Amino acid sequence: METRQIALTPRAGHDREVRHEAGAPTRSRWLTPGEVIDAHRHDDHQIVYAARGVVLVTTDGGSWVAPANRALWIPAGTVHTHQARGDLELHFLGLPAAVNPLGLDEPTALSVNPLLRELLLASTRSPGDGSAERRRLRAVLLDQLRASPQQPLHLPAPTVARLRAVCDLLYADPADNRTLAQLGSQTGASARTLSRLFRSDLGMTFPQWRTQLRLQHALLLLAEHTPVTTVAHRCGWSSASAFIDVFGRVFGHTPGAHTV
């Protein structure tokens, strides 16, 4: 059975030309598995929603993985890439830079309830015509966005070289179960130093960061219809039940919902 790993290393603007698009489009688009929209930025804010499949969005500051019950807020000016996992039905909603219903200046994952989902689909499947009906639809959508709970789906990217060396080992193999001390011995840093750097540079502990990495990797594998037991193994959980428990507590549903 294939055991390839899926890279989660943020590379939004690294060593590649960054396109500038003045306006963020409002439209829908299908992407094939693995298809990438290269690094670009908009002068507008953008909501990104995957109605089917899973989208991986990366910036120089980290990565976000969103299934169909989450949307991603991307602030104006943020350099980012999109990558499809599974057959991806992607919906983009552009908002002028002056319209920020969330008051957020960094990418954020948002919960999508059934009403917000339908509003996003209706707003992106047909072009806006400036009609009163369209304005009312947009007003309700903005109200729903304001009420959407933020979700902790961000995997921050390290900026410190010693920490990056450890994180790169885990990006390459999220199932790596070595302790921080063991990883540090390979990269030339003590566990105490690395523990401090995880908190100061990434804002979370080493176990928290590794769990977030594994959950993101799990979402990508599930989007490719990988069996749940196989996902648990590839992501470092001791059993499928342990994986299902953690996944359910974070995402509010079982991983099996992604494999159908």
Side-chain angles (χ1 to χ4, degrees):
M1 180 176 293
E2 182 186 14
T3 59
R4 71 181 178 86
Q5 300 296 334
I6 298 170
L8 286 167
T9 312
R11 303 240 180 249
H14 257 10
D15 303 323
R16 65 177 72 175
E17 182 179 354
V18 175
R19 288 183 291 111
H20 172 230
E21 300 176 1
T26 294
R27 61 190 177 102
S28 60
R29 175 177 174 181
W30 279 92
L31 277 71
T32 58
E35 187 174 350
V36 173
I37 299 176
D38 286 332
H40 63 286
R41 63 183 176 88
H42 309 286
D43 294 336
D44 294 338
H45 304 303
Q46 189 175 58
I47 299 289
V48 178
Y49 175 62
R52 182 174 303 176
V54 169
V55 62
L56 169 64
V57 173
T58 60
T59 74
D60 285 337
S63 60
W64 290 258
V65 175
N69 61 348
R70 302 289 188 268
L72 297 175
W73 166 265
I74 302 176
T78 302
V79 177
H80 60 286
T81 69
H82 307 282
Q83 186 173 33
R85 290 300 172 182
D87 290 310
L88 181 62
E89 180 187 340
L90 199 57
H91 295 261
F92 301 100
L93 176 68
L95 295 173
V99 178
N100 190 338
L102 303 167
L104 296 171
D105 58 4
E106 60 183 20
T108 305
L110 305 170
S111 180
V112 174
N113 62 29
L115 175 57
L116 180 54
R117 171 186 166 85
E118 294 306 316
L119 290 167
L120 287 168
L121 297 183
S123 297
T124 57
R125 280 179 171 159
S126 59
D129 55 10
S131 66
E133 179 182 2
R134 175 65 60 168
R135 290 195 298 271
R136 289 194 296 270
L137 180 68
R138 177 62 63 92
V140 175
L141 189 151
L142 293 178
D143 284 342
Q144 286 297 304
L145 285 175
R146 293 185 187 97
S148 297
Q150 298 177 30
Q151 301 295 317
L153 299 183
H154 178 211
L155 183 70
T159 62
V160 179
R162 286 177 293 178
L163 191 58
R164 190 181 304 117
V166 169
C167 291
D168 282 347
L169 294 173
L170 298 174
Y171 282 131
D173 181 12
D176 189 333
N177 276 316
R178 283 179 291 176
T179 66
L180 194 55
Q182 291 169 327
L183 292 166
S185 67
Q186 181 173 338
T187 58
S190 70
R192 181 176 180 180
T193 295
L194 291 171
S195 180
R196 174 177 56 81
L197 289 174
F198 267 100
R199 292 181 180 274
S200 62
D201 192 42
L202 302 179
M204 57 180 62
T205 66
F206 169 62
Q208 288 171 334
W209 188 90
R210 179 156 63 179
T211 297
Q212 195 78 334
L213 171 73
R214 289 174 169 178
L215 286 170
Q216 285 204 0
H217 191 60
L219 281 172
L220 299 181
L221 290 171
L222 290 167
E224 297 178 345
H225 306 290
T226 307
V228 170
T229 300
T230 304
V231 173
H233 173 71
R234 293 191 194 177
C235 294
W237 273 277
S238 59
S239 66
S241 60
F243 165 56
I244 291 169
D245 178 64
V246 173
F247 191 97
R249 283 190 277 112
V250 172
F251 295 110
H253 57 269
T254 66
H258 292 271
T259 62
V260 297

